[in-house]
């Protein structure tokens, strides 16, 4: 089917809010179309309000204006004066279709039929809250509060996320499906442990760079303004390198494209590190003075970084030995910045000699073995160099199936441009069992190339305008001792209360450094703790709900999330949901998960609420330094409420201390900032911020003329000493299998672990060692690839990849937007024409993609943008036009995540599973799934409701399902 409108025509018409064949000639949409058409020529009139706000249709948070007439949004346009430069994508223009969609939940609902029957009745908020409070309290008292799981969406709204998490952590919940562990948490968690912040998605300085290395990131799938930065950089002469298995828009604009074999990324990063270390551009002084590279490692003993306490009776566990080249003596780095030993003060973060005197001119040796008390110790630098040296360009070419000369060209460009080379990556690199390891490798690569906090490199510490970000929502009350008793008790007993406790040890394929040979190795998995959560990731929580392993989950609170579609093993999740005693779902629409809930609470649309938007994704200054307001275009429809307000209100029913009186008290705190903040960066209150619209902070590296790790601004939350923020280290609460005294499979007893907050960046990571990854990044072959499973190739000959981003959707969202579905009507599988020809598959044929786990149907797109022998399928597809009783709105016909099992292996630190594998493909003789929209005419069922229709629809018997019966082949 060819679309009737060109992209240029679509955007032009959308901008005027009169667009698309869908709004023409439709009686149901006449009122909306008339309003929109009138508004297009009336934006300067007094009866149209032009409200500055922000878009939350994805992470981009683009600045925009909503034109509102008679209480209805009639036009969306970009704000040209802020960081997004007036750019918007089609999802933003479709906001009115989201607001007034016929499938929107506008009143609280209670299920009156069987789970999945689609039978509901309207209830009051008071009834909903009271029943939820009674039922959850009964579960908590009878089974334990840890048997209530909670879940949140993609982190699009980080303040909302904080409210949800605080509410349920205070209640003692330990289990979530997670979502960030599929995209972003691997990077964020690892970066926090290594040096205290994150710079792999946010903070790359494209404005001043000489090279942008873009790794599996589709720059135009969100925030078009990022692509403007890339384009301008190229116009200045900067080189753009794209690493991606697919020939994406980014690849098409890059100066060099590396079509890497899926899952082999680590081999390429290790080759980058190897070449950097052995080049004259390697940042050895940075490694010497700001990382743990000079520290000796107790390889044959504890496996940890050596401490004085390990080599001297009564020694200090905060003293880290190294060798001083300047004075040919043993010296000790004193990491006791918290003065736990009572001798901190001016000696903290200093090199000391054996007598405890400060050695101001010490030069710690990066390389060299030393014998101490009869034992020989190596530096972590030597161990790192030994680890990466075998990972040559030649080996990377073999693993990654890339030409050697192209790899070398890419590495040379990056090294030559450093320290003005920047790096950004996409979520697809996270979709692996080695996501924390690959994030560690990226961090080492950037740091040793000298690109940390350099002009044109990476801004390594987020710098929101006031210095406060969303995490202060929970940090502030915890610092003031306002963590609830139940939460504290749960944390103390996490080993027996975590759903991760039975994830156990797992078999993985690790490449031997010396030979490159893949060998089966036993790795610890489990104990995931992310953002202070006490455990839980998709597979572990699914097993607890469905199988009672390690304990039965009885209750569940879900807020703006859809795990049936977005987590592997969706059919088992349905089984788990049916086992629940009580389930509350908070969402804007009826979804597959929502149909299995007991109570639905209607959430407001993001453009119906107040928020402080802080930098979550995007390039460097000013984007990563700007607070932006998102304010409502009008009141929430019906009785829907802000997600944050729902959390605050329900907290009162559950007697939970949220610390903040309401969201506005926290907003006031966030925009005011600390007392020493310059007045131009501070707002007295949120209402003053509303008047200012946005506040952009400063780059401290520019202001101080030196990197933040030299001036103390990486440690602004503690002591402002030079070095890195290591506040997250030492939190070993989640390492379920690595508590002291635990035995590993080979019988080794895990030794006690000393405190490790030493202000140094950890390239050799003690934390990742404790979580089970190992201290240095390993090459781990994904579990289902031609290399890992040659025995499967006869039945499943093609490499299957997933997760490529679409401009029309955001994960599970917008399948009920007529404009977005017109642009992207069907779930689409990309297949090379040569592969398609082998199976008689032609363009637009419906095909079956089958793995050893399950099979789905999608529509074929024949393209040279993907290699022969490789298949790419779209993720998170469902069909809102199908009824609840029709396979939960078609949750399984086309959703690729059912193709993968959830039995591991997992990333041991954050629980990420594998979202790729091997498959076969063939024509679907039955054609398209039944009862789905097949053309523009069918999509009219999703047209926005008029004001009159909304007013007359009280949803007394639930949300009226709009359907298309029959479909077509």
């Amino acid at each position: 089917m060819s679309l009737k409108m060109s992209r240029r025509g679509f955007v032009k018409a959308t901008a005027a809010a009169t667009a698309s064949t869908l709004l023409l000639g439709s009686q149901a949409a006449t009122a909306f179309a008339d309003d929109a058409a009138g508004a297009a020529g009336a934006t300067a009139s007094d009866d149209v309000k032009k409200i500055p706000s922000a878009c939350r249709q994805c992470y981009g948070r683009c600045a925009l204006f909503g034109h509102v007439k008679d209480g209805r949004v009639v036009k969306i346009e970009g704000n040209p004066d802020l960081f997004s430069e007036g750019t918007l994508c089609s999802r933003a223009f479709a906001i009115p279709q989201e607001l007034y969609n016929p499938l929107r939940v506008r009143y609280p609902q209670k299920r009156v039929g069987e789970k999945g029957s689609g039978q509901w009745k309207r209830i009051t908020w008071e009834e909903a809250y009271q029943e939820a409070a009674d039922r959850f309290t009964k579960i908590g008292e009878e089974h334990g509060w840890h048997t209530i799981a909670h879940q949140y969406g993609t982190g699009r709204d980080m303040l909302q996320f904080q409210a949800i998490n605080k509410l349920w952590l205070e209640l003692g919940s330990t289990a979530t499906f997670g979502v960030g562990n599929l995209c972003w948490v691997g990077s964020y968690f690892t970066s926090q442990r290594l040096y205290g912040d994150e710079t792999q998605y946010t903070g790359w300085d494209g404005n001043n760079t000489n090279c942008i290395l873009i790794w599996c990131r589709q720059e135009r799938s969100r925030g078009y303004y990022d692509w403007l930065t890339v384009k301008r950089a190229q116009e200045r002469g900067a080189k753009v390198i794209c690493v991606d298995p697919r020939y994406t828009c980014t690849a098409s604009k890059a100066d060099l494209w590396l079509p890497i074999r899926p899952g082999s990324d680590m081999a390429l990063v290790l080759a980058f590190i190897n070449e950097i270390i052995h080049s004259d551009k390697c940042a050895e002084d940075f490694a010497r003075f700001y990382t743990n590279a000079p520290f000796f490692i107790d390889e044959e003993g504890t496996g940890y970084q050596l401490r004085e306490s390990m080599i001297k009776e009564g020694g200090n566990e905060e003293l880290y030995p190294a060798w001083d080249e300047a004075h040919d003596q043993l010296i000790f780095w004193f990491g006791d910045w918290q003065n736990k030993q009572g001798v901190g003060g001016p000696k903290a973060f200093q090199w000391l000699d054996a007598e405890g005197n400060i050695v101001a001119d010490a030069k710690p040796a990066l390389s060299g073995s030393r014998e101490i008390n009869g034992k020989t110790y190596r530096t972590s630098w030597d161990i790192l160099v030994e680890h990466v040296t075998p990972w040559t360009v030649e080996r990377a070419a073999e693993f990654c199936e890339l030409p050697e000369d192209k790899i070398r060209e890419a590495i040379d460009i990056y090294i030559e441009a450093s320290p003005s080379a920047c790096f950004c990556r996409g979520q697809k690199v996270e979709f692996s069992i080695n996501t924390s390891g690959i994030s560690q490798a990226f961090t080492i690569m950037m740091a040793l190339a000298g690109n940390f906090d350099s002009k044109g490199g990476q801004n390594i510490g987020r710098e929101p305008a006031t210095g406060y970000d969303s995490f202060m929502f929970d940090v502030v009350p915890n610092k003031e001792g306002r963590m609830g008793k139940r939460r504290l008790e749960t944390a103390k007993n996490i080993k027996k209360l975590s759903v991760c406790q039975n994830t156990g040890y797992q078999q993985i394929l690790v490449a031997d450094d010396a030979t490159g040979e893949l060998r089966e190795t036993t790795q610890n998995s489990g104990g995931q703790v992310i953002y202070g959560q006490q455990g839980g990731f998709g597979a572990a929580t699914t097993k607890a709900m469905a199988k009672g392993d390690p304990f039965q989950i009885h209750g569940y609170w879900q807020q703006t999330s859809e795990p049936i579609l977005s987590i592997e093993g969706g059919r088992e999740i349905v089984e788990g949901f049916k086992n629940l005693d009580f389930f509350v779902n908070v969402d804007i629409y009826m979804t597959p998960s929502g149909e299995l809930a007991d109570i639905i609470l209607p959430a407001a649309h993001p453009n119906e609420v107040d928020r402080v938007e802080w930098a979550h994704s995007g390039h460097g200054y000013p984007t990563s330094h700007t607070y932006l307001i998102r304010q409502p275009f009008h009141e929430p429809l019906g009785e829907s409420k802000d997600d944050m307000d729902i959390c605050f209100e329900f907290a009162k029913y559950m007697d939970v201390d949220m610390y903040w009186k309401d969201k506005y008290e926290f907003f006031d705190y966030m925009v005011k900032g600390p007392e020493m903040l310059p007045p131009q960066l501070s707002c007295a209150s949120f209402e003053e911020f509303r008047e200012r619209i946005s506040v952009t902070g400063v780059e401290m590296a520019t202001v101080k003329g030196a990197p933040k790790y030299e001036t103390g601004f990486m440690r602004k939350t503690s002591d402002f000493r030079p070095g890195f923020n290591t506040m997250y280290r030492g939190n070993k609460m989640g390492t379920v299998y690595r508590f002291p005294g635990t035995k590993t499979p080979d019988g080794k007893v895990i030794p006690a672990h000393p405190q490790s907050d030493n202000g140094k960046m950890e390239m050799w990571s003690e934390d990742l060692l404790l979580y089970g990854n190992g201290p240095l990044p390993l090459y781990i072959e994904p579990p289902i690839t031609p290399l890992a499973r040659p025995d499967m190739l006869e039945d499943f000959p093609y490499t299957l990849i997933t997760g490529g981003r679409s401009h029309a959707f955001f994960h599970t969202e917008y399948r009920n937007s007529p404009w977005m579905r017109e642009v992207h009507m069907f779930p689409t599988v990309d297949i090379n024409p040569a592969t398609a020809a082998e199976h008689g598959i032609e363009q637009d044929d419906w095909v079956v993609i089958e793995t050893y786990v399950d099979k789905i149907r999608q529509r074929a797109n024949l393209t040279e943008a993907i290699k022969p022998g490789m298949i790419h399928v779209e993720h998170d597809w469902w069909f809102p036009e199908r009824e609840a009783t029709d396979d939960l709105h078609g949750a399984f016909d086309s959703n690729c995540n059912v193709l993968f099992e959830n039995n591991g292996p997992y990333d041991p630190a954050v629980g990420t599973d594998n979202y790729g594998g091997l498959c076969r493909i063939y024509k679907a003789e039955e054609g398209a799934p039944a009862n789905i929209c097949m053309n523009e005419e069918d999509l009219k069922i999703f047209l926005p409701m008029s004001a009159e229709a909304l007013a007359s629809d009280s949803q007394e018997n639930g949300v009226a399902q709009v359907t298309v019966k029959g479909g077509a082949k």
Side-chain angles (χ1 to χ4, degrees):
M1 180 194 73
S2 61
L3 298 178
K4 296 181 179 178
M5 186 175 293
S6 68
R7 179 183 179 278
R8 181 178 180 185
F10 169 77
V11 174
K12 180 179 178 181
T14 308
T18 59
S20 177
T21 55
L22 300 172
L23 294 185
L24 303 177
S26 169
Q27 187 66 37
T30 299
F32 182 82
D34 288 347
D35 281 351
T43 54
S45 301
D46 293 338
D47 60 345
V48 176
K49 297 178 181 179
K50 186 178 179 180
I51 300 174
S53 192
C55 181
R56 260 300 178 176
Q57 301 290 82
C58 78
Y59 290 111
R61 70 186 190 117
C62 298
L64 51 71
F65 295 105
H67 294 248
V68 180
K69 180 180 180 182
D70 298 330
R72 250 176 112 82
V73 179
V74 294
K75 179 181 176 181
I76 298 292
E77 69 171 331
N79 185 337
D81 298 325
L82 295 178
F83 58 83
S84 51
E85 303 183 56
T87 61
L88 292 176
C89 75
S90 53
R91 287 173 293 207
F93 294 125
I95 286 172
Q97 297 189 336
E98 296 287 302
L99 288 166
Y100 315 120
N101 196 279
L103 293 181
R104 185 170 170 187
V105 184
R106 290 175 279 109
Y107 302 93
Q109 301 290 331
K110 180 176 180 178
R111 183 171 48 79
V112 293
E114 295 295 318
K115 292 183 179 182
S117 65
Q119 297 176 325
W120 301 86
K121 73 171 183 179
R122 178 176 164 180
I123 58 175
T124 66
W125 275 99
E126 291 73 17
E127 289 172 326
Y129 281 148
Q130 192 59 60
E131 180 168 352
D134 292 344
R135 298 285 294 275
F136 282 131
T137 299
K138 185 174 186 292
I139 290 170
E141 291 176 350
E142 290 184 0
H143 302 288
W145 289 91
H146 65 291
T147 69
I148 303 173
H150 70 286
Q151 174 66 6
Y152 41 84
T154 58
R156 306 244 307 281
D157 185 336
M158 295 301 288
L159 300 183
Q160 169 185 314
F161 158 82
Q162 292 293 332
I164 299 166
N165 223 28
K166 181 167 181 60
L167 168 64
W168 286 99
L169 290 180
E170 293 291 338
L171 284 169
S173 175
T174 66
T176 75
F177 285 101
V179 64
N181 58 329
L182 309 184
C183 57
W184 188 61
V185 163
S187 163
Y188 191 80
F189 165 90
T190 304
S191 301
Q192 288 284 8
R193 262 51 186 189
L194 298 184
Y195 66 92
D197 215 305
E198 191 274 333
T199 186
Q200 298 185 19
Y201 289 108
T202 301
W204 47 281
D205 185 11
N207 299 312
N208 300 291
T209 195
N210 295 323
C211 169
I212 307 177
L213 175 56
I214 303 175
W215 208 293
C216 291
R217 175 168 171 146
Q218 173 58 293
E219 283 302 338
R220 291 194 286 182
S221 65
R222 64 183 181 199
Y224 280 172
Y225 55 86
D226 270 358
W227 187 252
L228 294 182
T229 302
V230 175
K231 182 179 178 181
R232 284 193 288 259
Q234 284 185 302
E235 290 171 351
R236 292 195 316 270
K239 298 296 184 182
V240 173
I241 304 166
C242 175
V243 180
D244 201 305
R246 300 184 303 145
Y247 191 67
T248 61
C249 290
T250 303
S252 72
K253 303 298 183 183
D255 297 284
L256 180 62
W257 171 48
L258 299 180
I260 192 169
R261 178 177 69 90
S264 67
D265 305 79
M266 182 66 84
L268 186 55
V269 191
L270 291 175
F272 265 79
I273 297 171
N274 181 25
E275 293 293 321
I276 290 167
I277 281 179
H278 292 96
S279 76
D280 58 6
K281 297 290 285 285
C282 181
E284 288 190 3
D285 279 348
F286 171 82
R288 185 188 310 276
F289 294 110
Y290 291 99
T291 81
N292 66 347
F295 290 4
F296 291 125
I297 305 300
D298 185 21
E299 295 178 87
E300 302 303 321
T302 61
Y304 303 145
Q305 296 170 112
L306 190 66
R307 271 77 160 183
E308 186 193 45
S309 58
M310 299 175 185
I311 59 174
K312 176 183 175 182
E313 187 175 350
N316 193 324
E317 66 179 25
E318 295 284 357
L319 289 174
Y320 299 80
W323 192 258
D324 181 7
E325 290 181 351
H327 304 94
D328 200 30
Q329 65 176 340
L330 192 66
I331 52 175
F332 301 85
W333 176 256
F334 196 26
D336 189 20
W337 66 275
Q338 295 172 309
N339 204 23
K340 289 186 176 181
Q341 302 289 335
V343 288
K347 291 186 177 182
F349 288 7
Q350 297 282 353
W351 287 106
L352 310 180
D353 63 19
E355 284 72 43
N357 303 306
I358 295 175
V359 185
D361 59 347
K363 184 180 180 181
L366 285 178
S367 186
S369 300
R370 294 289 167 178
E371 185 176 307
I372 305 174
N373 297 339
K375 290 183 65 176
T376 300
Y377 299 97
R378 294 192 296 165
T379 63
S380 70
W381 176 262
D382 278 348
I383 297 171
L384 171 64
V385 172
E386 179 185 70
H387 175 61
V388 302
T389 296
W391 288 93
T392 61
V393 168
E394 293 76 16
R395 182 184 288 183
E398 181 180 353
F399 270 89
C400 303
E401 298 179 356
L402 292 170
E404 290 180 19
D405 61 329
K406 294 298 182 183
I407 295 177
R408 195 169 298 281
E409 181 183 358
I411 294 175
D412 288 348
I413 291 171
Y414 183 75
I415 292 177
E416 180 63 29
S418 297
S420 295
C422 62
F423 165 84
C424 60
R425 48 91 66 91
Q427 283 103 339
K428 183 54 189 170
V429 192
E430 304 270 18
F431 289 13
S432 82
I433 64 171
N434 198 21
T435 177
S436 49
I438 193 74
S439 298
Q440 180 188 17
F442 284 142
T443 300
I444 294 171
M445 176 191 76
M446 292 183 286
L448 291 184
N451 291 313
F452 263 22
D453 242 16
S454 62
K455 193 177 185 66
Q458 311 291 143
N459 182 336
I460 58 171
R462 293 177 187 232
E463 297 179 286
T466 66
Y468 291 166
D469 63 25
S470 67
F471 294 101
M472 303 302 285
F473 189 95
D474 202 31
V475 168
V476 172
N478 290 347
K479 280 187 173 180
E480 296 189 11
R482 291 277 287 274
M483 184 184 290
K485 180 179 179 181
R486 186 180 297 146
R487 182 175 179 179
L488 285 169
E489 288 299 313
T490 301
K492 291 177 182 178
N493 294 284
I494 189 61
K495 188 173 182 180
K496 65 180 181 181
L497 300 180
S498 168
V499 291
C500 302
Q501 60 188 277
N502 285 353
T503 49
Y505 290 90
Q506 59 191 18
Q507 299 304 115
I508 59 172
L509 285 174
V510 177
D512 179 82
D513 283 340
T515 66
E517 179 184 352
L518 293 176
R519 296 179 178 176
E520 191 171 80
T521 304
T522 301
Q523 183 188 49
N524 167 42
S525 173
Q528 290 72 11
V529 172
I530 297 147
Y531 298 147
Q533 279 173 215
Q534 288 134 355
F537 61 95
T541 298
T542 300
K543 301 300 183 187
M545 281 187 183
K547 309 297 183 186
D549 177 18
F551 51 78
Q552 185 63 52
I553 296 291
H554 291 274
Y556 180 52
W557 175 283
Q558 176 173 288
Q559 203 149 349
T560 56
S561 183
E562 183 39 82
I564 290 175
L565 299 174
S566 57
I567 305 293
E568 76 281 17
R571 296 186 192 275
E572 191 173 11
I573 294 174
V574 171
E575 178 187 344
F577 285 170
K578 290 182 177 180
N579 286 344
L580 293 169
D581 296 335
F582 189 64
F583 174 5
V584 172
N585 189 48
V586 185
D587 213 314
I588 299 177
Y589 301 110
M590 295 302 300
T591 63
S593 289
E595 295 290 0
L596 300 174
D598 296 283
I599 286 178
I600 302 288
L601 300 180
H605 186 275
N607 290 109
E608 293 175 329
V609 303
D610 277 324
R611 279 296 186 279
V612 179
E613 286 286 358
W614 66 288
H616 190 195
S617 185
H619 60 270
Y621 193 85
T623 308
S624 56
H625 294 64
T626 300
Y627 279 147
L628 173 67
I629 195 166
R630 171 158 48 90
Q631 56 186 334
F633 297 144
H634 50 60
E635 290 294 316
L637 292 192
E639 294 180 2
S640 55
K641 295 187 178 187
D642 182 348
D643 284 274
M644 289 191 76
D645 291 341
I646 293 172
C647 291
F648 276 102
E649 290 175 5
F650 189 58
K652 294 177 181 177
Y653 279 80
M654 301 300 291
D655 197 26
V656 168
D657 177 13
M658 297 287 279
Y659 179 83
W660 311 98
K661 178 180 65 177
D662 56 25
K663 65 187 179 188
Y664 290 108
E665 184 177 23
F666 178 64
F667 294 170
D668 288 346
Y669 171 87
M670 193 172 180
V671 300
K672 185 176 182 180
E675 292 296 328
M676 74 286 292
L677 198 70
Q680 66 268 26
L681 302 183
S682 176
C683 295
S685 67
F686 179 77
E687 290 308 314
E688 180 185 322
F689 180 60
R690 193 190 302 278
E691 296 299 317
R692 292 177 65 174
I693 300 175
S694 74
V695 178
T696 299
V698 297
E699 293 180 288
M700 291 311 302
T702 300
V703 172
K704 296 292 184 179
K708 290 188 290 296
Y709 55 81
E710 291 184 6
T711 60
F713 279 87
M714 283 301 293
R715 297 183 58 79
K716 60 190 175 187
T717 59
S718 50
D719 56 11
F720 273 95
R721 294 177 187 267
F724 288 93
N725 185 349
T726 57
M727 62 180 290
Y728 288 93
R729 292 199 205 136
N731 174 14
K732 304 303 184 296
M733 178 173 64
T735 50
V736 173
Y737 289 99
R738 305 208 48 105
F739 277 95
T742 301
K743 288 186 178 181
T744 61
D746 59 6
K748 179 181 178 181
V749 176
I750 301 298
H753 176 256
Q755 160 80 10
S756 62
D757 290 359
N758 55 37
K760 298 289 189 181
M761 175 186 164
E762 284 195 352
M763 292 192 293
W764 185 101
S765 174
E766 204 163 76
D767 268 26
L768 292 181
L769 167 67
L770 287 162
Y771 272 92
N773 302 66
L776 292 171
L778 301 172
Y779 181 92
I780 300 175
E781 182 71 14
I784 310 294
T785 68
L787 284 182
R789 296 297 304 271
D791 58 305
M792 296 179 65
L793 292 175
E794 183 175 352
D795 292 327
F796 303 102
Y798 302 121
T799 295
L800 174 64
I801 59 175
T802 66
R805 300 305 190 241
S806 164
H807 294 220
F809 308 118
F810 189 80
H811 300 304
T812 65
E813 296 179 82
Y814 318 134
R815 301 310 194 286
N816 58 342
S817 166
W819 282 348
M820 297 302 93
R821 282 287 291 277
E822 181 188 13
V823 169
H824 198 125
M825 184 79 73
F826 304 114
T828 302
V829 52
D830 289 334
I831 180 172
N832 188 276
T835 306
E838 294 177 11
H839 301 278
I841 296 171
E842 298 181 355
Q843 181 68 29
D844 296 337
D845 280 348
W846 282 87
V847 299
V848 175
I849 305 99
E850 184 176 358
T851 69
Y852 72 97
V853 178
D854 211 329
K855 58 186 177 182
I856 61 170
R857 275 181 282 176
Q858 294 196 357
R859 199 164 180 255
N861 176 47
L862 277 57
T863 173
E864 298 283 356
I866 194 165
K867 292 180 180 179
M870 189 183 300
I871 306 293
H872 173 265
V873 296
E874 293 182 340
H875 70 303
D876 286 2
W877 263 92
W878 62 299
F879 300 98
E881 62 267 34
R882 289 172 60 172
E883 296 175 304
T885 54
D886 189 1
D887 210 14
L888 292 176
H889 303 293
F892 301 110
D893 279 294
S894 299
N895 176 28
C896 72
N897 290 331
V898 304
L899 298 175
F900 312 111
E901 62 179 346
N902 58 11
N903 295 319
Y906 319 105
D907 182 276
V910 299
T912 310
D913 208 335
N914 190 60
Y915 286 79
L918 297 172
C919 72
R920 56 178 168 235
I921 189 169
Y922 49 92
K923 288 183 69 170
E925 298 303 328
E926 64 274 37
N931 306 329
I932 70 170
C933 292
M934 298 296 296
N935 51 52
E936 292 90 337
E937 187 67 25
D938 289 346
L939 291 174
K940 289 180 179 179
I941 62 173
F942 294 131
L943 285 171
M945 297 175 69
S946 67
E948 294 76 16
L950 286 168
S952 64
D953 180 18
S954 62
Q955 296 186 338
E956 293 296 332
N957 296 305
V959 178
Q961 175 70 48
V962 295
T963 63
V964 175
K965 293 292 186 180
K969 290 188 177 181

